[in-house]
Amino acid sequence: MEVSLTAAPTRLALMPGGPATDVYAYNGSVPGPTLVVREGDRVIIHFHNALAEPTTIHWHGVHLPADADGSPLYPIAPGASHDYVFTIGAGTAGTYWYHPHPDGRAGYQITKGLYGAIIVRDPHDPLPTTLPEKLLVLSDNRFHADGSLDLPDLPDADSPAGRVDMENGREGDVLLVNGQVMPTLTIRSGEVQRWRIVNASAARVYRLTIPGQTFLHVGDDGGLFERPVELSEIVLANSERVELLVRGTGAAGTQATLQTLAYDRYIPQTRPADWNRTRDVLTLRTATTPPLPLVVLPERLRVIPPLDTARAVATRVISLGQGLINGKTMDMTRVDVSARLGTTEIWEIENLVGMDHPFHLHGFHFQVLDRNGVPVPYRSWKDTINVPRHETVRFIVAFDDYPGKWMFHCHILTHEDEGMMGILELK
Ligand code: C2O
Ligand code: CU
Ligand code: CU
């Protein structure tokens, strides 16, 4: 798979139906083009930075060599070009995304329009290939009354509202799905659709539900589970992905709504006044065409062999403070964790403060073991895990290959940019 991507300033209507506004875009669109690849593919991305500032492209969740990861250690200068080359690993089929990751400016550049999805396909996908697939890249933003983007060049640390943003991360009041406001998806009665959902929001955590019906949760960051799990709502923190099977249960011509319910991730002092408002995300309309016969879904999707805790050579405690990891802010010249290539470790992420922090590790998928000592009910491959206020999450990770320096950080973008990030070195 070979593709050219250019990040450039451009003008387009970010608010659907609104006036053109100054944005950054990959190949002229927001979100950028969806990259569809297969396990085993060699991917070559010819990237050109046409912005007036340094940037990178980070392939969030993709297991690849450190120098192809687009981390802040490998900035691409304004006007420069760079080829990102990597091979998609076996067993990594799933939903990923790409976004800029320059030092201190990821939040600005992503909010300005630079984000896109990556779908990695499994040549032997256990789900019927006949299921219609929908990709939902969730984002949110703020606009002035005239429809132009409301995004200061630098975070405003001096005003009370700016300080709330630094604390909470920047939430927008306009919710976007693939860049559209309240789009309509059509489903046939009896049909099962496979939804891939990406939370590309800077700070908003979604708690998704379709009132009146359940769905099957079949996968998350690193692809499918061993078996489907039936749910009526799901929390999706920043940069997490899920795969859901949604069944058309309505009568012909009726409508349902995908909503996001209140999710309290805040400290009381800066909790937004309307935090507990339910928000509509999209309309799910049942087509008037005759119902489809029942779709039979597999009960087993794949086997996820557990990583063996007895093989762990170290347990790291990573504590999350407000804006700090292990009491420090990011230093690009410092190594915070040194680990040996080929070893397995347990990481214990403890959140010491009164708001949630979604923790992300670059380059390697992990298996969550437990939350506050309670084992998680099923295994999956994750690269980001929300750590709720005052909770502790433990995961196990195998550093099988790819030496070098890897970021780990909070994925609330203002926290990340303000230095809530550390560096793991593998050698
Ligand atoms: Cu979405 Cu450091 O990444
Ligand atoms: Cu990442
Ligand atoms: Cu955070």
Side-chain angles (χ1 to χ4, degrees), residues 64-377:
L64 38 58
D67 63 2
D69 185 48
S71 88
L73 298 172
Y74 298 92
I76 314 298
S81 295
H82 179 74
D83 287 349
Y84 290 98
V85 181
F86 49 92
T87 300
I88 303 291
T92 65
T95 312
Y96 300 86
W97 63 301
Y98 61 98
H99 63 74
H101 214 310
D103 185 31
R105 289 286 278 176
Y108 179 84
Q109 294 187 6
I110 295 171
T111 307
K112 193 105 172 165
L114 295 176
Y115 61 95
I118 306 171
I119 295 174
V120 175
R121 295 201 182 282
D122 173 355
H124 309 288
D125 199 305
L127 288 170
T129 50
T130 48
L131 303 185
E133 237 187 70
K134 308 287 171 188
L135 171 68
L136 310 176
V137 183
L138 307 183
S139 182
D140 59 6
N141 225 322
R142 293 182 189 168
F143 297 89
H144 296 294
D146 67 356
S148 60
L149 189 58
D150 174 6
L151 177 66
D153 248 332
L154 291 170
D156 167 17
D158 300 323
S159 74
R163 280 195 294 274
V164 168
D165 278 354
M166 309 271 277
E167 192 81 7
N168 293 347
R170 188 174 178 282
E171 288 187 350
D173 56 340
V174 176
L175 270 55
L176 300 157
V177 181
N178 305 329
Q180 292 176 275
V181 175
M182 266 310 268
T184 298
L185 281 186
T186 303
I187 193 166
R188 286 179 73 174
S189 187
E191 181 178 78
V192 175
Q193 295 185 348
R194 180 176 186 173
W195 290 9
R196 297 170 181 270
I197 311 181
V198 180
N199 181 355
S201 280
R204 182 176 296 282
V205 172
Y206 296 82
R207 190 174 140 219
L208 298 169
T209 190
I210 306 172
Q213 73 179 84
T214 59
F215 46 80
L216 294 177
H217 186 200
V218 291
D220 55 18
D221 301 346
L224 296 174
F225 295 156
E226 296 196 301
R227 48 183 86 73
V229 182
E230 187 171 8
L231 293 177
S232 56
E233 58 174 75
I234 188 164
V235 172
L236 192 62
N238 314 92
S239 87
E240 285 186 309
R241 290 87 63 204
V242 283
E243 289 189 56
L244 307 180
L245 299 185
V246 177
R247 201 182 277 278
T249 56
T254 58
Q255 291 193 347
T257 307
L258 175 69
Q259 296 182 316
T260 183
L261 304 173
Y263 180 74
D264 185 9
R265 64 183 188 84
Y266 315 93
I267 56 169
Q269 295 85 328
T270 57
R271 187 183 286 135
D274 64 347
W275 76 275
N276 58 0
R277 203 178 111 204
T278 296
R279 291 165 191 267
D280 293 346
V281 177
L282 63 79
T283 300
L284 183 61
R285 196 181 70 88
T286 307
T288 49
T289 39
L292 287 174
L294 199 70
V295 183
V296 181
L297 297 167
E299 267 161 39
R300 303 283 309 200
L301 299 173
R302 64 165 169 167
V303 174
I304 301 180
L307 295 180
D308 182 2
T309 51
R311 292 196 43 201
V313 298
T315 297
R316 312 265 174 202
V317 177
I318 309 278
S319 17
L320 309 179
Q322 197 61 4
L324 304 170
I325 294 186
N326 291 344
K328 299 181 189 129
T329 53
M330 161 86 158
D331 177 343
M332 297 257 275
T333 64
R334 188 182 67 220
V335 168
D336 298 278
V337 174
S338 302
R340 288 208 77 77
L341 200 62
T343 61
T344 297
E345 296 195 350
I346 291 173
W347 284 32
E348 183 171 320
I349 318 297
E350 51 169 18
N351 184 348
L352 304 176
V353 295
M355 75 173 284
D356 293 17
H357 293 285
F359 181 86
H360 169 50
L361 172 65
H362 280 215
F364 298 85
H365 284 148
F366 49 78
Q367 293 178 354
V368 178
L369 297 169
D370 44 46
R371 288 177 172 274
N372 293 327
V374 180
V376 293

